[in-house]
Each structure stands twice: as structure tokens, then as C-alpha cells.
Amino acid sequence: NQNVPLILLEVNVKLNLWKKNKQDESEWPHLPVLPSYGRGRDAPNGRFSSLIFGTNLTDVVITGNNGTIDGQGAYWWKKFKEEKLNVTRPYLIEIMYSSQVQISNLTLVNSPSWNVHPIYSSDIIIQHLTILAPVDSPNTDGIDPDSCTNTKIEDSFVVSGDDCIAVKSGWDQYGIKFNMPTKNLVIRRFTCISPDSATIALGSEMSGGIEDVRAEDITAINTQSGVRIKTAVGRGAYVKDIYVRRITLNTMKYVFWMTGSYGSHPDPGFDPKALPVIKGINYRDVVADNVTYSARLDGIENDPFTDICISNVNIKLTSKPKELQWNCTNIQGVTNQATPEPCNLLPEKEIDCPFPEDRLPIDNVKLKTCSISGNF
């Protein structure tokens, strides 16, 4: 039957990551480091397999009637904080080298690390997820599309100890060599709570490139920043053609944040001449309340971030805001109808920042709602 996916996992009840002894790490296979990273994120060696893992697959549906996957992450968070890990923590869901992947209608709680990690894959739909972790839990990113093409993330809610969505494409010289960008990404109707991290982060591992990201109807509450760009000398590649509109923010440290000195290298072998290109960054129709800083925009010396456009922005400040509201270095761009008044590097120009009106191919793919029944 062509309407039935090749691989279907339906979660309608609570699924625990450890059924017996959650501390028996020997039950979890080891995987080699990702080729675009060169080392594990937690430790130089390999990494534990994710709870739900697949590679070289076509037509995959992971779904449920809001069934819950409980990662029981406290054991792993403790080991990480005590620096007792020799291998990178498992994720809840990781799909590699695959196409036609759909993940929907699930609740994910207490992941040991990242929650959903599609990597080296294409034609991905992620919809109707609820992802929950304590706001002080380490690296519990919500959704991390990584070196993926044609991805759509919609109608989801994340409470996290790290970035709610983190768009990635490899780390320094390893990502440059692997050379697989994340592109053609749509994010819609997404809500985030993360006091110490971003609603949507672009990077910091972006050495394969990130391009054509379209985010709209985004809400953040008690979150460190809105859409944040993170990069550094040694990353190379680019973040370009980023379009964001209709953002509602409440209780934020930063509305706009770009960081060109993020650091965090896999090893000393990165190329200091590999400078990232950050250009074509567009934000429009932003409403924010209870804000400490309107913007911190720091490019790289002799490698400025260019073609930044910010329009129709109304920011209301906290009762104790920082005096310097727009802190700008090594950037170039324009603003229109932005309050408070932007920095001199973003002069006023009568312009509505662009947002593409064409549809990306992933928008023409419908979510599969097929299900299976029986005893397992």
C-alpha cells in the first residue's frame, strides 16, 4: 500500500527510556562521532545511540495520540555536570541520512540532551510536539535540524534548558569539509520558554552553511533572546537569507542578538582564516514587552555582518532597562519604524523588510496520520 509508510512508530502511552536499570549504560550502543562535528559534544569520543534512532531510511513516521516519551534525564544531567562522561549523552530521537521523515503528535520530557535531531536528511515535517525539560537542565535543545534540506516545523511548544530550536550544519573544519548546509527551513506557530537561551538559534555549529530560513508567528515568554545568530572565527560558511516576521515576545533579555565571538571549537585545528559570511538577515513585525536590552549585534572585526533589515518593531522595556539599548559593532544594515531608537550602524530607511511569498516544496507535503493497531 503506497499510503502506508515504510517505517511507522506510534506512541500512544508513556514510553520510558529505561525500563529496568536506567544507569546501565552498557545497554546503550555506542556510535562514532558525527563526521561534520569531528568529536562528541560532551566528550571527544563517540556517543550513545538515541532512544529512537535510524539511518539511511525512506518514508518514516514517528507519531502518537500525544503519547509521552520520558527520557529520565536527571541521571545524565548529573554526570554531565560532574564531568564524568566519556561519551556524548543520548538524544531522544535522531534520524540520519534519511528522507521523507515525519515526527508529530508526541510529548517529549526530560531528554538526556537534545530532543529531536534530524541530520543529513531531507523532506522532514515536525508538527504538534510538546517538549518539556527543566529550565536549568543542560543542553536539552528542543528541535535541532542539522545539515537538512526541506524541513518544516509547525505548531509546537518547547520549555527547555537550552535553545528551543537550534539550526546547525557542522563544526569548524569538520563541517567545512563535510559541506552540507541546512536550507529551505520553515518554522511556523512555535512557542518557546527558555530563560537562558534562544527561541531560535542559527549556529553556533554552522560550518556547512545555513540559508533560506523562514520563521513566522513565533511566541517567546521568559526567554533569553528571540532569533539569535551564533558564530565565530573558524566556522567559515555562511548564514544568509533569513526571514522572520510576526514575533511576540514577553520578558526577554534580548530581542535581537547576533554573536560573532561564540568560540567553542572542537579542537585547536580550526582555520583562523575561515571567516563566516552573515548577510541578508530580515526581521519585521515584532512586538516585545518587559525587555532588558533591545539588541546586541556583534559582528567580527574585518568581517562585518551585512544587509541586516529590521522594520516595524515596538519594544517596551522592563522597569530597570540597560541604558545602552542597541549595542552594535561590525554590522551594516537599515531599520524602519523601530522603537527604541536603533544604533547609528542601522540608519532609518523607509522599507518593509522582505519575507518571501513563494512556497517551499515542503509546504506541499501533507502530514501522514495513518496508524496501526494490535498488541506489541
Side-chain angles (χ1 to χ4, degrees), residues 165-179:
I165 294 176
V167 184
K168 301 177 181 291
S169 67
W171 203 3
D172 285 4
Q173 69 270 32
Y174 305 102
I176 293 170
K177 181 178 180 181
F178 198 78
N179 191 30

Side-chain angles (χ1 to χ4, degrees), residues 225-227 249 252-257 286 288 291 293-295 315:
S225 61
V227 178
L249 309 173
M252 309 291 292
K253 185 175 182 180
Y254 300 100
V255 174
F256 305 108
W257 196 5
V286 179
V291 170
Y293 296 90
S294 297
I315 300 172

Side-chain angles (χ1 to χ4, degrees), residues 22-131:
K22 67 183 180 181
Q23 298 183 17
D24 187 358
E25 297 176 15
S26 66
E27 293 186 5
W28 297 93
H30 286 196
L31 299 176
V33 298
L34 293 165
S36 61
Y37 281 74
R39 58 158 287 163
R41 296 297 287 115
D42 294 338
N45 300 317
R47 56 205 186 95
F48 289 104
S49 176
S50 299
L51 171 63
I52 300 172
F53 174 79
T55 185
N56 297 102
L57 304 175
T58 302
D59 201 3
V60 179
V61 174
I62 302 170
T63 189
N65 186 21
N66 200 33
T68 299
I69 299 176
D70 185 351
Q72 300 184 40
Y75 165 77
W76 298 97
W77 306 333
K78 183 174 184 291
K79 286 198 71 171
F80 174 78
K81 291 176 181 178
E82 294 175 351
E83 299 183 349
K84 292 181 178 179
L85 287 169
N86 295 318
V87 179
T88 292
R89 288 166 286 166
Y91 307 147
L92 284 189
I93 301 173
E94 182 176 67
I95 304 296
M96 298 175 58
Y97 297 111
S98 298
S99 64
Q100 301 174 43
V101 177
Q102 299 193 2
I103 304 169
S104 68
N105 296 290
L106 293 170
T107 296
L108 310 179
V109 299
N110 297 326
S111 177
S113 186
W114 300 352
N115 281 269
V116 180
H117 185 223
I119 183 167
Y120 316 143
S121 297
S122 62
D123 302 318
I124 302 157
I125 295 178
I126 298 171
Q127 283 187 336
H128 303 295
L129 295 189
T130 298
I131 298 174

Side-chain angles (χ1 to χ4, degrees), residues 347-361:
E348 177 83 11
K349 182 179 180 181
E350 285 196 25
I351 186 174
D352 284 329
C353 301
F355 193 99
E357 298 301 329
D358 63 312
R359 291 168 60 88
L360 292 174

Side-chain angles (χ1 to χ4, degrees), residues 305-348:
F305 299 171
T306 62
D307 299 329
I308 298 168
C309 184
I310 300 173
S311 68
N312 190 24
V313 173
N314 186 355
I315 300 172
K316 295 181 180 179
L317 304 179
T318 182
S319 59
K320 295 182 179 180
K322 295 298 180 179
E323 183 175 354
L324 181 61
Q325 276 297 303
W326 291 71
N327 191 343
C328 308
T329 58
N330 298 301
I331 64 163
Q332 174 272 321
V334 297
T335 54
N336 185 31
Q337 296 183 334
T339 304
E341 184 178 355
C343 58
N344 293 334
L345 295 178
L346 296 173
E348 177 83 11

Side-chain angles (χ1 to χ4, degrees), residues 9 13 34 59 85 207 209 214 217 250 276 284 286 291 350 354 361:
L9 174 64
V13 294
L34 293 165
D59 201 3
L85 287 169
S207 299
R214 308 175 184 192
D217 301 310
N250 192 303
R284 59 184 286 182
V286 179
V291 170
E350 285 196 25

